[in-house]
Amino acid sequence: MQPPWTIDYGPWTKNALIIPPPIAILSNPIEYLKGVGPQRGELLRKELNLHTFGDLLNYFPFRYVDRTKVEKIGQLMGQMDYVQIRGRIISLEVIGEKRGKRLVATLRDETGEIELVWFQGWQWMQKSLQEQTAYLVFGKLSFFNGTLQIAHPEMDLLTENIASGKQFLEPVYYTTEKLKARGLTAKAIGKLTFNLLEQLSPLEIPENIPAPVMQQYRLMTRPMAFFKIHLPATEEEAQQARRRLKFEELFIAQIRICRIRIRRHQQSQGYIFGAVGDHFNDFYNNHLPFPLTGAQKRVLKEIRQDTMNGRQMNRLLQGDVGSGKTIVALLTMLLAIDNGFQACLMAPTEILSQQHFKGISELLENMPLKAALLTGSIKGKARKQILAAVADGSIQILIGTHALLENEVQFKNLGMAIVDEQHRFGVAQRARLWQKNDIPPHILVMTATPIPRTLAMTIYGDLDVSVIDEMPPGRKPITTVHRTEFQRPQVMDFIKEEVNKGRQAYIVYPLIEESEKMDYENLMKGYEEVKAFFPEPQYYISMVHGRQPADMRETNMQRFVKGETQIMVATTVIEVGVNVPNASVMVIESTERFGLSQLHQLRGRVGRGAEQSFCILMTGVKLGADSKERINVMVQTNNGFIISEKDMELRGPGDMEGTRQSGVLDFKLADILHDKPVLDAARACAEKILQEDMDLSLPENQPLQEYLASQRGKSQWSKIS
């Protein structure tokens, strides 16, 4: 079958106005396709999420079988794997008894003969095959009693079209056991796709990439790419088709996300921070606890530029645990205060809010500024006083949990809102901060979860991204070691040594929804074991987990923070934000059950003081290859960005924190880890096009504009801006 569109494109473009618009075949329900019907249609919906002709067109093969060559029987050799031959069946017989029965056929061509054999389904094959009839045969070559044979080959009646082999590589599609039971094998899905391609014309697959971009990157046309990805004549054609469709996926995604960002830059109004004033300069010159790193200075410069241009800042600040994001946040707030505005900092938990408040209050100790803490547990008179002082402007910095979002919190003049650990807050929650002033305040979003650059470009492409990729001087890297269950006594002795030096330790247990009950039992068992090693009154232990009442959990956490207990046994509730500079040991139990990013976050709970800190990864003796690799990465590096890249490589981008919920990475072909050069090219093209033609009104951008309009409301992107 030739592609239905191997005709010259010339007449179509010339006579575009004369040709009537095509019927929207691709939106037809799948059951209307020849070979499907209602029952199979229902199965394809449930099993593969294929609802329409268009869904099937976008259901791509994962590999191809080359059936374009035909071998001679006399030239077959044992080291060959899958082969294709043609010949006439000269005999067919059933041999063997009872369960050993099998159908054996002898196939002959002009150079020799070979046996074909069927052990299963042979009755059906016996009915469908005929002696003295020519077939094209494909299958795996094997030896039996010293002679070559093919078991369970694929048989096609020999016709003129396939006499010298198939015209195209044969596509192989993923299928499921339920589909196979109803005859929808990989081959049958290929047949359905073939039926669909026979019906289509190029007009039903309009181009959506501007011609200059097509020429620059030598991309296959869109209709041809869809045809060639399903039915390529060569592996190279399949690669070209994949390349074109990957570029399209990434290009369309980048156009959408860059458009949101550019529109915000152009249209959103923001307060102008024109001056770097007394508070900023006084703090910078006289109260900075340590000199800023080059990375911190660079980020501050980016924030300074954002707040001077009259547009609302929306910036994502990424920095590893301990890289000094809090100082950047404080200097940013002082910049707002110097320009007559208030600032707020919102954190996901009470304990994290309290830490921010304590840290910032200490830094501002000798300055004439007032900061306050507002959380759900602050009630009555104290709460009223805080709300009144925020409303009259006498509190310049308000720190708190999502209590800051409540309507009763009215600022006199909020100019800067900082959100810590952004993935804990939904977009809608963040947007409520925008309503806290007549013009939305500037927004700085901070995260200690390093995000690989490719992922940041794709998920947070609507935010401007800053990275602190340098640690403050004097921080000692955390020593990370791997120990197995057999070495537990030595690990406990080591903790004892550290505790006797006056330090503190964490022992963290995994808690996973699927095995929650068992995990709690392990935690309790672990707690009893730790108590046996560290008896009271010589040692005191805090236990913290999600089943405790909030106030009890808070009390236990605070006892550890204040140094009243030396050891904290906990589940991962301590992952974000507990700052105990005196804690020098982190023991992670059942390390093999944690992802890399989570392990890195947990490790970041220690190493916050001047002393050398240790992270001990405990596992069973037997480990899978992935677990070994994760542990090796943790032992070898403290760099969060290297770890996040490796995490994405091992788990895939869709499993990274927050990305699955966002639905942004729903690409069919593109893989942002391995297709980084394609992503970079797509982003560069998208930015260039939008800088020159934001509304996509130029003639060469019209197809792109029409395609985006046709997709409106179908994708996650319509929900973002």
Side-chain angles (χ1 to χ4, degrees):
M1 164 186 164
Q2 282 300 309
W5 42 73
T6 44
I7 333 153
D8 175 19
Y9 276 145
W12 292 343
T13 39
K14 283 178 206 155
N15 305 331
L17 297 173
I18 306 164
I19 296 173
I23 304 158
I25 284 184
L26 292 176
S27 57
N28 283 354
I30 193 77
E31 58 265 33
Y32 294 160
L33 183 65
K34 181 182 160 193
V36 181
Q39 287 177 330
R40 280 179 154 193
E42 194 53 38
L43 263 179
L44 286 168
R45 276 194 183 86
K46 279 184 186 161
E47 294 291 299
L48 300 179
N49 204 22
L50 303 180
H51 297 260
T52 64
F53 286 17
D55 293 339
L56 181 62
L57 186 67
N58 282 284
Y59 189 65
F60 302 123
F62 66 95
R63 67 181 176 91
Y64 304 91
V65 174
D66 189 351
R67 294 188 58 183
T68 58
K69 298 182 206 72
V70 179
E71 310 288 345
K72 300 285 184 201
I73 292 173
Q75 289 162 5
L76 296 179
M77 287 177 286
Q79 65 266 37
M80 290 177 169
D81 193 13
Y82 281 88
V83 295
Q84 183 164 255
I85 51 181
R86 65 168 178 244
R88 195 173 293 279
I89 289 184
I90 55 167
S91 72
L92 261 178
E93 61 175 323
V94 176
I95 58 175
E97 293 296 319
K98 295 181 182 170
R99 290 191 170 189
K101 274 190 177 179
R102 58 197 183 276
L103 176 67
V104 178
T106 305
L107 188 83
R108 177 188 287 167
D109 71 2
E110 64 274 23
T111 66
E113 294 177 1
I114 190 168
E115 264 188 9
L116 313 176
V117 61
W118 289 266
F119 301 97
Q120 287 146 6
W122 59 263
Q123 296 97 328
W124 188 80
M125 289 306 297
Q126 189 182 22
K127 285 177 196 160
S128 59
L129 295 175
Q130 294 172 338
E131 287 189 36
Q132 303 308 320
T133 304
Y135 290 92
L136 185 68
V137 179
F138 177 78
K140 190 172 171 58
L141 210 54
S142 60
F143 272 103
F144 179 69
N145 284 344
T147 59
L148 286 170
Q149 69 169 24
I150 302 175
H152 294 275
E154 289 182 29
M155 309 287 288
D156 289 298
L157 268 174
L158 197 66
T159 62
E160 213 174 293
N161 285 347
I162 59 171
S164 54
K166 300 275 176 99
Q167 281 178 284
F168 303 103
L169 300 182
E170 196 167 277
V172 183
Y173 298 86
Y174 282 113
T175 181
T176 67
E177 290 308 317
K178 279 188 183 173
L179 288 172
K180 283 181 197 167
R182 299 302 292 267
L184 284 167
T185 58
K187 199 176 171 81
I189 292 169
K191 183 81 176 80
L192 295 179
T193 309
F194 185 91
N195 294 345
L196 173 61
L197 290 169
E198 278 194 314
Q199 291 184 43
L200 287 178
S201 92
L203 295 176
E204 273 126 7
I205 307 174
E207 190 51 77
N208 57 10
I209 295 179
V213 178
M214 298 271 294
Q215 285 154 10
Q216 184 184 350
Y217 292 103
R218 297 183 180 167
L219 297 173
M220 201 179 252
T221 63
R222 192 160 183 254
M224 191 59 79
F226 273 103
F227 187 88
K228 294 294 186 188
I229 197 165
H230 289 290
L231 293 174
T234 62
E235 197 64 51
E236 193 190 345
E237 274 191 3
Q239 287 306 327
Q240 289 297 324
R242 289 181 93 78
R243 180 174 165 267
R244 147 74 213 216
L245 293 169
K246 280 180 179 182
F247 184 91
E248 177 183 313
E249 282 187 324
L250 294 167
F251 174 71
I252 297 295
Q254 291 303 324
I255 281 280
R256 284 173 165 148
I257 206 159
C258 292
R259 221 173 174 186
I260 292 167
R261 197 180 80 248
I262 293 169
R263 277 213 175 113
R264 200 192 61 235
H265 282 190
Q266 288 178 351
Q267 295 165 9
S268 73
Q269 226 182 327
Y271 294 111
I272 295 174
F273 295 175
V276 177
D278 295 343
H279 292 112
F280 186 100
N281 287 325
D282 178 24
F283 182 80
Y284 191 88
N285 296 321
N286 305 317
H287 305 294
L288 257 187
F290 45 75
L292 294 186
T293 62
Q296 285 171 315
K297 288 177 183 171
R298 186 186 68 240
V299 170
L300 277 167
K301 195 175 171 189
E302 288 166 349
I303 291 168
R304 177 89 186 94
Q305 285 164 346
D306 279 357
T307 53
M308 283 171 65
N309 62 17
R311 306 270 164 246
Q312 185 206 14
M313 173 175 85
N314 270 281
R315 189 165 279 281
L316 172 72
L317 174 57
Q318 285 183 251
D320 221 330
V321 174
S323 61
K325 294 186 297 297
T326 309
I327 284 287
V328 171
L330 176 56
L331 285 162
T332 303
M333 292 194 277
L334 294 176
L335 188 61
I337 294 164
D338 276 340
N339 286 277
F341 295 94
Q342 290 163 293
C344 71
L345 192 162
M346 186 167 80
T349 62
E350 288 219 2
I351 195 152
L352 195 47
S353 306
Q354 284 163 356
Q355 273 174 209
H356 277 308
F357 177 64
K358 183 169 175 279
I360 285 170
S361 299
E362 283 168 9
L363 288 165
L364 296 177
E365 211 168 9
N366 301 313
M367 292 185 68
L369 291 173
K370 193 168 179 197
L373 175 70
L374 184 69
T375 65
S377 58
I378 294 169
K379 299 207 165 40
K381 191 179 172 188
R383 189 180 188 87
K384 278 184 183 158
Q385 284 173 343
I386 291 168
L387 293 175
V390 169
D392 69 22
S394 52
I395 285 176
Q396 293 100 334
I397 294 175
L398 184 63
I399 297 164
T401 55
H402 47 266
L404 302 190
L405 300 173
E406 290 167 15
N407 291 334
E408 63 175 2
V409 181
Q410 299 288 330
F411 290 86
K412 184 182 181 189
N413 194 13
L414 181 66
M416 175 63 68
I418 298 175
V419 182
D420 195 16
E421 287 306 328
Q422 94 86 31
H423 63 266
R424 302 293 176 102
F425 295 104
V427 177
Q429 281 179 304
R430 289 207 314 270
R432 279 166 66 186
L433 284 169
W434 294 24
Q435 293 146 24
K436 295 286 178 182
N437 210 339
D438 302 334
I439 295 174
H442 296 296
I443 304 273
L444 181 67
V445 161
M446 302 198 297
T447 178
T449 309
I451 304 153
R453 185 177 160 271
T454 48
L455 203 57
M457 270 167 60
T458 314
I459 299 169
Y460 300 115
D462 62 316
L463 296 174
D464 302 300
V465 180
S466 289
V467 177
I468 300 182
D469 48 10
E470 214 178 315
M471 287 306 233
R475 276 284 168 111
K476 291 179 183 168
I478 300 162
T479 302
T480 305
V481 293
H482 172 217
R483 297 288 180 262
T484 64
E485 203 51 53
F486 291 140
Q487 294 155 306
R488 184 171 295 280
Q490 293 94 306
V491 169
M492 290 298 169
D493 288 343
F494 175 73
I495 296 174
K496 208 167 264 185
E497 278 172 35
E498 286 291 300
V499 168
N500 292 341
K501 287 181 198 168
R503 319 249 199 280
Q504 290 166 279
Y506 296 98
I507 301 174
V508 179
Y509 286 79
L511 183 61
I512 293 156
E513 274 174 48
E514 293 81 62
S515 54
E516 195 174 350
K517 187 169 177 285
M518 213 169 88
D519 284 347
Y520 272 116
E521 284 169 12
N522 289 343
L523 173 71
M524 295 307 169
K525 202 171 108 194
Y527 178 58
E528 293 304 325
E529 271 181 23
V530 175
K531 277 206 307 196
F533 274 104
F534 297 94
E536 290 182 357
Q538 200 180 345
Y539 304 97
Y540 287 101
I541 302 166
S542 282
M543 181 160 66
V544 175
H545 59 77
R547 282 190 181 177
Q548 289 170 329
D551 53 347
M552 183 180 172
R553 190 164 67 232
E554 201 66 34
T555 304
N556 287 350
M557 205 95 105
Q558 285 302 342
R559 285 180 68 210
F560 186 72
V561 170
K562 288 171 187 164
E564 292 166 12
T565 61
Q566 296 99 328
I567 294 165
M568 182 191 277
V569 175
T571 57
T572 45
V573 288
I574 59 110
E575 183 186 336
V576 170
V578 189
N579 185 20
V580 184
N582 191 42
S584 65
V585 184
M586 164 65 71
V587 177
I588 304 175
E589 297 283 351
S590 307
T591 303
E592 63 270 32
R593 294 178 60 196
F594 290 94
L596 262 176
S597 287
Q598 204 177 16
L599 288 172
H600 181 61
Q601 286 288 310
L602 287 167
R603 173 167 65 184
R605 299 298 109 229
V606 293
R608 291 170 167 251
E611 303 304 329
Q612 177 62 56
S613 288
F614 304 88
C615 177
I616 301 168
L617 307 174
M618 298 292 295
T619 67
V621 182
K622 288 183 180 172
L623 284 179
D626 265 10
S627 301
K628 273 185 193 156
E629 199 166 347
R630 280 202 299 274
I631 288 165
N632 287 341
V633 171
M634 287 296 293
V635 169
Q636 285 160 13
T637 183
N638 276 290
N639 184 318
F641 289 94
I642 293 173
I643 287 167
S644 68
E645 290 281 353
K646 192 71 193 170
D647 194 26
M648 190 162 90
E649 201 179 299
L650 288 171
R651 290 200 289 162
D655 286 330
M656 297 289 285
E657 187 140 31
T659 62
R660 187 169 291 292
Q661 301 89 298
S662 69
V664 166
L665 295 181
D666 199 12
F667 296 133
K668 289 190 164 62
L669 289 172
D671 173 334
I672 62 169
L673 188 69
H674 299 109
D675 296 321
K676 191 174 169 297
V678 187
L679 174 61
D680 289 341
R683 186 169 181 87
C685 279
E687 285 180 337
K688 184 171 181 286
I689 286 169
L690 292 171
Q691 275 159 10
E692 292 167 4
D693 181 22
M694 182 62 196
D695 297 323
L696 303 175
S697 52
L698 291 174
E700 67 264 30
N701 295 331
Q702 281 282 277
L704 175 57
Q705 168 69 331
E706 282 162 21
Y707 177 79
L708 291 172
S710 74
Q711 298 297 302
R712 202 159 286 147
K714 291 185 187 177
S715 74
Q716 287 285 335
W717 299 95
S718 57
K719 303 180 183 75
I720 284 183
S721 48

